[in-house]
Amino acid sequence: MDEAFSEAVLQLVESVRPGRVVTYGLIADRLGRAGPRQVGAVMSRDGHSVPWWRCVRANGSLPAYLMIEAQQHWLEEGTPVRNGRVDLVKAIDPALLADGL
């Protein structure tokens, strides 16, 4: 993906408030291009520069090697978790669903 797409992904992740999350697919939808896999690739490559634990898969999880650290961040931020994964119904950042972001 190009640099502009990567920057846009990282800006959206950075805008997610503590205790809230966004999914890879929601980011792709907001940007109107690419898909969840491409967002995941950006996060894998460059996500260390943003609060990466706030960008999760559609099932509320992250890759296994990130889950323990992510769960600690979720606990510290008060992110709603259910069975070890983010409870998306309660945790999706409504600001990212609103028009005009």
Side-chain angles (χ1 to χ4, degrees):
M1 296 265 62
D2 63 44
E3 188 66 28
F5 178 77
S6 295
E7 283 300 315
V9 168
L10 296 174
Q11 283 182 323
L12 277 175
V13 174
E14 218 166 24
S15 74
V16 177
R17 298 173 291 154
R20 297 297 188 153
V21 299
V22 66
T23 64
Y24 301 136
L26 182 56
I27 289 176
D29 289 346
R30 287 298 293 189
L31 296 177
R33 57 187 280 216
R37 288 180 188 258
Q38 289 78 19
V39 172
V42 169
M43 292 302 296
S44 177
R45 186 181 62 243
D46 301 318
H48 61 278
S49 65
V50 297
W52 52 266
W53 58 91
R54 296 181 192 155
C55 184
V56 299
R57 295 173 174 161
N59 68 0
S61 73
L62 285 169
Y65 69 95
L66 295 174
M67 283 296 287
I68 292 173
E69 188 176 351
Q71 289 173 339
Q72 183 61 39
H73 285 291
W74 297 334
L75 179 65
E76 290 168 2
E77 293 186 354
T79 306
V81 174
R82 184 175 183 187
N83 297 325
R85 298 177 179 189
V86 172
D87 184 344
L88 294 177
V89 172
K90 295 178 181 174
I92 288 287
D93 194 335
L96 294 176
L97 298 174
D99 291 334
L101 177 68

